[in-house]
Amino acid sequence: MKVFVFFTSIFWMAFGNFLPVIAGNQTHLRQLKDTGSCQKCDLSGADLRGLDLSGADLRGANLMGANLCGAKNINSANLSSAKTNGAQCLFSSPEPSPEPTHIANPK
């Protein structure tokens, strides 16, 4: 058993950084992209680079650790009560995206 744990640990240390990371709730991410609204959604660690967040309703959403670099119009999104600890590029966008992914306008 110790040998298994040892080799498993070695594997994750060697290759863990190369495996794709899927973060956040994919259903919630799809909801945000389709409707422009995702109140109290789990988008923790989600890759939101390049999204156009014009008027997006993210009240109470969990954006902890989310990557918002290059997100467009984030200043017009409603982030009231959103958890934003560790979110990247929340107030600045140093990596502009040449082609933002547009979300539907919320009603």
Side-chain angles (χ1 to χ4, degrees):
M1 182 64 175
K2 289 181 182 179
V3 173
F4 175 76
V5 172
F6 174 75
F7 283 113
T8 302
S9 299
I10 296 296
F11 172 81
W12 285 114
M13 285 189 293
F15 299 106
N17 290 334
F18 300 107
L19 299 175
V21 175
I22 298 174
N25 181 314
Q26 296 302 304
T27 302
H28 290 171
L29 182 57
R30 175 60 35 212
Q31 177 183 338
L32 173 62
K33 289 179 178 180
D34 290 347
T35 69
S37 179
C38 203
Q39 296 179 23
K40 298 182 181 178
C41 285
D42 178 13
L43 299 170
S44 57
D47 185 359
L48 303 176
R49 291 178 294 169
L51 275 182
D52 185 348
L53 297 173
S54 298
D57 187 354
L58 294 167
R59 289 179 284 173
N62 181 356
L63 296 168
M64 294 172 62
N67 186 344
L68 294 158
C69 295
K72 306 295 180 194
N73 304 308
I74 193 164
N75 292 336
S76 71
N78 186 343
L79 299 172
S80 300
S81 301
K83 298 174 187 170
T84 59
N85 297 0
Q88 300 173 31
C89 306
L90 183 60
F91 297 108
S92 64
S93 299
E95 299 176 12
S97 175
E99 296 180 33
T101 303
H102 295 282
I103 59 175
N105 289 330
K107 296 179 181 176

